[in-house]
Amino acid sequence: MAVFQLNVNNRSYAVDVDPDTPLLWVLRDELNLTGTKYGCGVAQCGACTVHLNGNPVRSCTLPVAAAKGNITTIEGLSENGDHPVQKAWIELDVAQCGYCQAGQIMTAAALLARKPQPTDADIDTAMAGNICRCGTYKRIRKAIHLAATKGGAR
Amino acid sequence: MKTTTVTRREFIRLTGLGSAALALGYYLPAAGRPAHILKVEAAENLGIELNAFIFIESSGKITIMNHRSEMGQGAFQVVPQMIAEELEVSLDEINIIFAPGSQTKYGSQVTGGSSTVRGAWRHLMRMGATAREMLIEAAARKWKVNADECYAENATVIHRATGRKATYGELATDAAKLEPPKNVKLKNRSEYKIVGKPLPRQDTPLKVNGTAVFGLDKKLPGMLYAAVERNPRFLGKVKSYDDSAARTVPGVKHVFKVQMDVFSHKREGVAVVADTLWAALEGKKALRIEWDDNGFEHYGTDQLFSLMHNSLGQPGLTQKAAGNFDAYFSKASRKLEAVYETPYQAHACLEPLNCIAHFKGNSCEIWGPIQAPDWIQSDIAMKFGLKPENVTVNMTFLGGGFGRKAFTDYTYEAVAISKEINAPVQVVWTREDDLTQGPFRPGAVYECKAGLTQQGRISAFQVKMAAQNLNHQWPGADTESYNDSTTEGLPEPYLNTIPHYRFADIPLASPIPVMWWRSVYSSTNAFAFESFIDELARAAGKDPLEFRKQHLPDERHRLLIDRLMEVSNWKQRGQNSGYGAAVTECFQSIVGEVVKVSRKADGKIKIDKVWAVMDCGWYVNPDIIRAQVEGSIVMALGAALKHATLFNEGKAVQRNYDTYKMPRINEIPDIEVHIMENDERPGGVGEPGLPPLAPALTNALYDLTGKRIRKLPFNLEEF
Ligand code: FES
Ligand code: FES
């Protein structure tokens, strides 16, 4: 066990955990930030996506010891759930079961930050790592385009 | 709208029974009889357990209790939408709470068979109307006018002539003193403001800001975590285990052998319980277990399918037959035979199985992503010697269900572990556990034979299905019984237009546990039926959709096929593309799909587009229907093209999404969904969009390439 300082959603935390613990379980079980989900544990599904210094990362395979910098989770993406991506998701009713959607939204937000007007090909490349078992892909694509018109790059 | 989950006791407290408020529910006196709508208070006095659904407080707060699981299919939305319509309130004015599991209190709560709307719509709407009429009557008495001079709107009763108003909150106390009227008039469909409208889902905001609580997110004070290494060969036992390394993992508290009830067997494994989930998972990895795998077959996939193929010579157990198939088949001017194969599949819900149990000696409480709370309540009560009323089942949001979370095994195991350690515990299945432990969708082999008349009509038709029968797994099941789902997926009118037919199954005995998987037998049957119908149409030299129309002459099917032709521009379909169609029936809904494929400049085949037409009769929310059909099509694409569970020496091979591949966003065609408008009785929505996709796709590929796919899954890259 060792103590780690984490900066999550602009707050700092000290956690005493095994250094190998993936960031995912620290977020969920130590910090009670359960919006970030477990889907595969092997960087295949994207359910656990968070931002590390603005880049989308798979928290299930990132040891807490390596999580240095600013971490943003779905809970910290916006103050009131009103990030343009979240708004677009609500407008188009993207979610079905909803389990994958935090990961989808975090990946999409990072894409828009990098590419404010993404093409379909950009969306394919950025989002292909995120599985939606409910099959909401068509709406995800539409919602990313919609978010782009809402200033999703903010 | 606000959302909460409560236990049954909390619900009664919340609803403040006996306090000044209107509380209504319904109960079903007997199957097939109309529901009785009663005041909750009256029902308690009579000792009747109600479906308690509407509660109006004098503060004006309106609460609707939702008895259905929410796993993505929109039950969360459509149940209140139906009640609110007749109650004359908007969805913004109500609170929704999940009903806890109680067999008697809420009727069957198993959310499966796409039954949320088709099962209870009349009761729900009548209950809303009854409450509305009581509130109107209360206002009329107060104002000393006739009730028919008043109407309700936006949770307010209005006197038409004078414009006088009273809110539901103001009227609730008086309304509660009235007897619920026996007959209430339901609104005409043309008067609907909420039902039939694509209203936004109330659960979406919770699902985009990370606050929706799924099973895995639920935490209890003092809760421990457990991970279990279960025997990968389903019927095997634990011979011995070495937990010395596991116990050195910091945080690990207990290691012990545990059993899980799976149909008529006990699945054995070793549980590691720890302070944190990570410690439990690390502890599990460190276990050294020796399994005892004697006394049962260790089948591989090839063996399983050889057994099924080789059994096709048997006559099989007849489910349905008419005329004389053998005689007319041999007489037919044109004969066709084909064998189709569909694989075993895992459900692969994105939220892996998990369950929290707190066993407290005489009672037990459960939380989790659960499709069947009432079944779990009675199952746990029976198996752990508890009174059913002392077993509380709390539902969370489900990160996918697809039939897997309608089973009871994972809850049984969680209770067993909690009982052993005498503490609340969350049992978490890893993705690997989830994909390898089953129950799976059964693999199947279909032998189809048919004869055509000179005019190109089907004169004789026979399908034999070789597959495990889900019903044969239960303790004491009659394993000689036929499968009553052999015709599932087939549009009913075929049985009127084909004079000589026979549907039979040849059950396979296997140690592999199998289970309902989205759209159940239709998901595999339809591939055989609708591929074979297409082969027959081609053999008869007919247009595939015209051929179907000839054999499905009733109005609903004809209109649906016409619509499908219209939206897909079927008659003008281009030469350079392949078009394929399929029409299936599942849970009382009819769905037709057309798939368009073409070869691109790089030589690869691309699925360009899918058109779907859904006829689910009377419906509640068209946007949820579209979403469900879109999702069903994506799931069916995965099942046809991407994944299968194979077995090697009795163990499932695919352990995670790297080998159990999923369709990704870049592989999804454009999907267009249309809904038929009629007043037929409501059919299912969450599942019926799935079965037609695979045959429509392979029929399209045949149209383009002349190559017939008779085995799923297949690789599109290989064309
Ligand atoms: S849980 Fe991290 S990618 Fe699947
Ligand atoms: S919405 Fe269910 S997995 Fe994406």
Side-chain angles (χ1 to χ4, degrees):
Chain A
M1 305 295 256
V3 177
F4 296 91
Q5 294 293 331
L6 292 178
N7 188 324
V8 185
N9 301 333
N10 295 323
R11 276 184 62 184
S12 54
Y13 299 88
V15 291
D16 184 10
V17 293
D18 168 12
D20 290 339
T21 313
L23 177 62
L24 172 65
W25 301 118
V26 177
L27 293 171
R28 290 182 52 84
D29 295 341
E30 305 291 327
L31 308 185
N32 216 359
L33 294 168
T34 54
T36 306
K37 302 299 188 217
Y38 163 76
C40 69
V42 293
Q44 287 289 322
C45 76
C48 63
T49 306
V50 299
H51 296 173
L52 181 61
N53 299 322
N55 297 314
V57 295
R58 305 289 186 243
S59 64
C60 69
T61 48
L62 184 73
V64 62
K68 298 220 166 70
N70 290 320
I71 298 160
T72 308
T73 69
I74 186 73
E75 290 90 347
L77 182 64
S78 63
E79 194 77 10
N80 301 308
D82 56 358
H83 185 282
V85 173
Q86 289 168 312
K87 281 198 194 149
W89 247 247
I90 291 174
E91 198 169 321
L92 297 177
D93 255 344
V94 173
Q96 289 187 27
C97 84
Y99 193 77
C100 72
Q101 299 296 347
Q104 306 278 5
I105 288 170
M106 295 309 282
T107 310
L111 164 67
L112 287 164
R114 206 163 21 97
K115 276 220 156 165
Q117 301 296 331
T119 62
D120 277 337
D122 295 332
I123 293 174
D124 281 349
T125 313
M127 304 299 297
N130 287 74
I131 292 172
C132 177
R133 182 57 165 152
C134 299
T136 63
Y137 297 123
K138 181 186 155 180
R139 292 179 187 220
I140 288 173
R141 181 185 303 284
K142 236 175 127 183
I144 293 175
H145 286 308
L146 178 63
T149 69
K150 294 178 186 286
R154 78 164 193 193
Chain B
M1 192 202 72
K2 208 172 123 262
T3 307
T4 19
T5 311
V6 293
T7 65
R8 179 181 155 197
R9 204 157 288 126
E10 278 169 340
F11 176 73
I12 290 173
R13 184 175 55 71
L14 266 177
T15 54
L17 283 179
S19 81
L22 176 60
L24 287 188
Y26 73 78
Y27 89 105
L28 296 164
R33 301 268 311 282
H36 285 192
I37 293 163
L38 284 179
K39 287 192 280 187
V40 171
E41 195 186 52
E44 291 285 318
N45 293 339
L46 293 169
I48 295 171
E49 297 256 13
L50 278 185
N51 295 279
F53 284 103
I54 299 178
F55 184 77
I56 303 175
E57 289 172 60
S58 33
S59 65
K61 185 171 162 202
I62 300 169
T63 304
I64 287 177
M65 189 164 63
N66 189 354
H67 67 310
R68 307 295 298 185
S69 303
E70 177 53 57
M71 49 191 171
Q73 85 286 31
F76 194 81
Q77 171 76 353
V78 298
V79 168
Q81 215 172 328
M82 288 187 276
I83 298 175
E85 178 68 63
E86 291 289 352
L87 187 57
E88 291 292 354
V89 297
S90 83
L91 287 178
D92 307 334
E93 289 165 319
I94 56 180
N95 304 281
I96 299 175
I97 52 181
F98 278 132
S102 165
Q103 185 107 23
T104 44
K105 202 166 176 97
Y106 310 117
S108 172
Q109 289 176 289
V110 181
T111 301
S114 291
S115 56
T116 302
V117 174
R118 67 192 178 96
W121 70 286
R122 258 178 212 289
H123 315 320
L124 296 169
M125 296 197 71
R126 270 189 54 215
M127 193 166 52
T130 303
R132 178 194 69 215
E133 292 305 314
M134 291 168 77
L135 290 154
I136 290 179
E137 180 64 33
R141 288 192 187 185
K142 188 163 150 188
W143 299 330
K144 306 207 170 34
V145 298
N146 272 335
D148 56 13
E149 294 168 29
C150 306
Y151 67 100
E153 197 176 75
N154 295 330
T156 305
V157 178
I158 302 160
H159 183 229
R160 209 172 272 111
T162 61
R164 233 152 122 192
K165 288 183 182 178
T167 65
Y168 282 6
E170 290 161 7
L171 297 166
T173 311
D174 289 341
K177 294 182 189 133
L178 303 172
E179 277 313 303
K182 286 271 167 307
N183 294 309
V184 289
K185 199 169 148 311
L186 296 187
K187 292 163 81 170
N188 282 325
R189 210 173 167 181
S190 59
E191 298 170 290
Y192 287 166
K193 299 175 201 148
I194 300 175
V195 164
K197 303 289 183 291
L199 297 181
R201 291 175 62 136
Q202 307 286 325
D203 53 345
T204 307
L206 309 178
K207 290 176 175 177
V208 306
N209 67 11
T211 57
V213 176
F214 293 87
L216 210 57
D217 304 332
K218 178 80 192 166
K219 293 183 197 306
L220 295 181
M223 183 180 92
L224 298 173
Y225 295 87
V228 183
E229 187 69 32
R230 301 171 194 86
N231 193 320
R233 291 196 182 96
F234 311 100
L235 302 187
K237 307 249 168 282
V238 174
K239 187 189 263 172
S240 64
Y241 64 93
D242 171 2
D243 61 6
S244 50
R247 285 186 184 275
T248 64
V249 174
V252 168
K253 290 197 131 85
H254 314 268
V255 181
F256 51 90
K257 191 176 116 177
V258 65
Q259 289 187 326
M260 176 171 81
D261 228 32
V262 185
F263 300 107
S264 23
H265 300 283
K266 296 261 189 265
R267 174 85 46 84
E268 294 206 342
V270 177
V272 178
V273 182
D275 284 339
T276 66
L277 178 55
W278 180 245
L281 294 171
E282 288 291 282
K284 176 185 168 187
K285 270 189 237 157
L287 288 171
R288 296 285 162 266
I289 307 174
E290 206 187 326
W291 305 109
D292 170 5
D293 289 328
N294 288 315
F296 61 96
E297 300 284 353
H298 302 177
Y299 287 132
T301 297
D302 292 349
Q303 280 171 294
L304 286 164
F305 280 90
S306 298
L307 286 168
M308 290 187 257
H309 280 283
N310 293 339
S311 72
L312 292 171
Q314 300 171 26
L317 305 159
T318 304
Q319 182 210 3
K320 277 185 187 156
N324 185 338
F325 171 80
D326 288 334
Y328 283 80
F329 178 63
S330 65
K331 262 197 258 185
S333 72
R334 188 83 219 265
K335 296 187 196 34
L336 227 63
E337 297 187 26
V339 174
Y340 302 91
E341 196 181 305
T342 53
Y344 283 83
Q345 298 223 321
H347 300 75
C349 307
L350 200 59
E351 177 193 27
L353 290 168
N354 62 85
C355 180
I356 297 172
H358 191 184
F359 186 87
K360 303 172 205 164
N362 293 326
S363 68
C364 181
E365 195 153 4
I366 293 167
W367 290 259
I370 283 167
Q371 273 177 267
D374 49 352
W375 182 16
I376 284 168
Q377 184 191 41
S378 56
D379 187 75
I380 297 295
M382 184 180 76
K383 290 172 180 164
F384 289 88
L386 299 171
K387 292 201 181 112
E389 60 267 32
N390 292 341
V391 178
T392 308
V393 182
N394 303 286
M395 294 185 278
T396 63
F397 277 113
L398 286 83
F402 312 126
R404 177 59 183 93
K405 291 170 185 166
F407 196 40
T408 53
D409 55 346
Y410 64 114
T411 55
Y412 175 96
E413 188 190 54
V415 175
I417 292 173
S418 174
K419 186 176 175 191
E420 178 78 27
I421 62 173
N422 205 9
V425 65
Q426 181 177 49
V427 182
V428 176
W429 294 49
T430 61
R431 172 57 52 204
E432 289 80 4
D433 298 333
D434 192 83
L435 287 182
T436 57
Q437 289 286 314
F440 303 92
R441 181 181 83 172
V445 175
Y446 298 85
E447 181 202 71
C448 303
K449 292 185 180 182
L452 290 166
T453 64
Q454 234 132 32
Q455 294 72 39
R457 298 286 299 234
I458 306 171
S459 52
F461 192 91
Q462 175 177 277
V463 178
K464 282 195 235 167
M465 168 176 71
Q468 288 183 249
N469 183 331
L470 303 179
N471 295 338
H472 288 185
Q473 302 173 101
W474 302 103
D478 171 10
T479 55
E480 306 286 306
S481 62
Y482 67 82
N483 191 325
D484 57 8
S485 300
T486 306
T487 51
E488 222 177 79
L490 186 81
E492 191 76 34
Y494 280 122
L495 301 182
N496 302 323
T497 54
I498 301 173
H500 306 279
Y501 62 79
R502 181 167 173 265
F503 292 85
D505 85 292
I506 305 145
L508 169 75
S510 152
I512 296 168
V514 289
M515 193 61 197
W516 310 315
W517 188 97
R518 196 174 191 175
S519 80
V520 198
Y521 283 100
S522 300
S523 75
T524 55
N525 290 0
F527 174 63
F529 299 157
E530 278 297 284
S531 296
F532 195 54
I533 293 283
D534 212 70
E535 298 203 38
L536 288 166
R538 306 260 171 191
K542 299 264 170 74
D543 173 283
L545 274 177
E546 291 293 348
F547 183 77
R548 285 175 174 84
K549 234 163 91 174
Q550 266 185 7
H551 290 86
L552 302 169
D554 68 299
E555 197 186 24
R556 269 182 98 174
H557 288 83
R558 192 167 44 75
L559 290 174
L560 180 125
I561 293 173
D562 284 345
R563 184 80 181 278
L564 193 55
M565 285 181 162
E566 179 199 316
V567 298
S568 65
N569 227 347
W570 178 261
K571 298 233 165 92
Q572 278 79 45
R573 55 196 195 277
Q575 288 302 308
N576 301 324
S577 308
Y579 281 71
V583 179
T584 64
E585 228 172 86
C586 169
F587 300 124
Q588 287 151 17
S589 288
I590 311 164
V591 182
E593 289 171 9
V594 166
V595 174
K596 178 183 171 229
V597 295
S598 62
R599 197 178 290 284
K600 298 296 160 213
D602 63 0
K604 293 208 170 115
I605 287 185
K606 184 167 174 265
I607 306 171
D608 298 312
K609 179 134 190 178
V610 181
W611 293 268
V613 178
M614 155 73 95
D615 178 354
C616 55
W618 181 94
Y619 62 80
V620 180
N621 189 322
D623 196 53
I624 287 177
I625 296 171
R626 280 190 286 270
Q628 285 301 303
V629 175
E630 289 161 12
S632 296
I633 286 171
V634 174
M635 191 156 171
L637 279 170
L641 295 169
K642 306 293 292 188
H643 50 242
T645 299
L646 306 179
F647 299 93
N648 185 21
E649 296 182 356
K651 303 181 200 174
V653 176
Q654 285 69 25
R655 301 174 54 78
N656 208 317
Y657 291 128
D658 50 349
T659 47
Y660 198 80
K661 292 200 185 295
M662 288 286 142
R664 305 281 177 159
I665 193 166
N666 55 324
E667 298 166 306
I668 299 307
D670 188 15
I671 302 170
E672 196 178 295
V673 181
H674 299 266
I675 305 167
M676 298 299 286
E677 297 291 337
N678 59 43
D679 285 319
E680 300 286 342
R681 91 191 155 107
V685 163
E687 304 172 77
L690 192 142
L693 188 275
L697 172 62
T698 53
N699 294 341
L701 289 165
Y702 178 84
D703 190 46
L704 185 71
T705 67
K707 193 172 158 200
R708 178 61 69 181
I709 306 286
R710 296 201 182 91
K711 179 177 169 181
L712 300 181
F714 65 99
N715 189 348
L716 203 53
E717 305 272 313
E718 279 167 16
F719 265 84

